[in-house]
Amino acid sequence: AREKGEGRYDPVFWAELCKELYTRLREQSPQNITLTLSALARLRIRDDELLNHIASSLSESWLRNFNAQDISLLCGSYAKLAHTSPRLFQLCASELLWKLPDAEPQELALVAGACAKVRVYDATLFRHLAALCTRRLDEFGARHVVNVLHAFASVDAPAPDLVRLLTSRLNSEGVVGQLED
C-alpha cells in the first residue's frame, strides 16, 4: 500500500504479473502463488478474474502441497480483498485440520481472522483453532490474542474457555504493553 501512496506503484507491472499467474498457475509453487496474492492484497489490487481462477482451480490434492503458512496467506489474501469464495475456504478448512499443528501463532490468528472477515464459520476448524491456541497460549503476542478474540466473537464461535484464557493472557504482565508499539 505504501508503494501506491508514494507513487512507486506500476499498474502495468501488476497487471502483467496477474496475467502471468493466471496463465501459468499450475506451474507455480504454492509459495509463489500465496506470496503474489499477499502482495496484491497489501496493494489492494483485486483481480476478480485471477481470484476466481485460483479458487476454481484449487483441489484437495493440490492443497496438500501447501503448508500452513501458504494456506493462511491464501485465506488472508482473499479476506483482505473481500473476495468470498466458499469453495476455497471449505477446501482450506479441510486441509488446515492436518496443517494447523505446524502453524505459528501468527498463522493461527490469520486463519481465524480471515474466516471471520468473510463470515465463513467451520465448526471443526474453529474447534481445532481453539484447542491449538489454548495449548500454545504462551507463544501468543498481544496482536495475535486480540485477532483471535475478535475472530471468535465475529463468528459467534463457542469457546468460553479460550476467551477466558486469551483475556487472561492479554492482561498478563508485559503482553498488553505490546499493543502500544
Side-chain angles (χ1 to χ4, degrees), residues 10-178:
D10 181 358
V12 173
F13 168 80
W14 289 101
E16 289 175 4
L17 186 71
C18 288
K19 183 179 177 184
E20 184 74 11
L21 183 57
Y22 184 98
T23 58
R24 297 176 180 253
L25 182 62
R26 288 292 183 176
E27 300 168 28
Q28 302 302 316
S29 70
Q31 186 177 34
N32 284 349
I33 295 166
T34 58
L35 290 177
T36 301
L37 287 175
S38 181
L40 292 169
R42 277 196 312 274
L43 292 169
R44 290 177 175 61
I45 300 171
R46 182 176 163 152
D47 183 326
D48 286 331
E49 189 176 350
L50 174 63
L51 294 169
N52 289 334
H53 178 60
I54 292 170
S56 66
S57 297
L58 283 175
S59 64
E60 289 178 16
S61 60
W62 194 15
L63 267 177
R64 286 187 196 115
N65 297 312
F66 287 59
N67 62 30
Q69 182 182 32
D70 295 330
I71 298 174
S72 67
L73 284 174
L74 179 66
C75 292
S77 298
Y78 272 75
K80 188 165 188 168
L81 293 169
H83 191 88
T84 57
S85 173
R87 181 182 177 280
L88 175 125
F89 278 89
Q90 181 183 23
L91 286 171
C92 288
S94 295
E95 187 61 25
L96 279 166
L97 299 179
W98 299 99
K99 308 275 171 83
L100 281 178
D102 298 327
E104 297 296 325
Q106 178 180 352
E107 294 153 355
L108 297 171
L110 182 56
V111 166
C115 290
K117 184 167 185 166
V118 296
R119 301 284 188 235
V120 172
Y121 174 69
D122 181 284
T124 305
L125 175 63
F126 272 81
R127 275 194 306 275
H128 276 74
L129 285 167
L132 288 164
C133 290
T134 300
R135 270 188 235 128
R136 300 178 63 192
L137 190 62
D138 291 343
E139 299 173 39
F140 277 68
R143 293 194 198 297
H144 305 134
V145 169
V146 169
N147 289 339
V148 171
L149 282 170
H150 182 262
F152 273 75
S154 295
V155 296
D156 286 330
D161 291 338
L162 176 65
V163 170
R164 183 181 46 73
L165 290 169
L166 287 173
T167 304
S168 178
R169 171 79 177 145
L170 191 58
N171 290 322
S172 63
E173 188 176 323
V175 175
V176 77
Q178 295 172 7

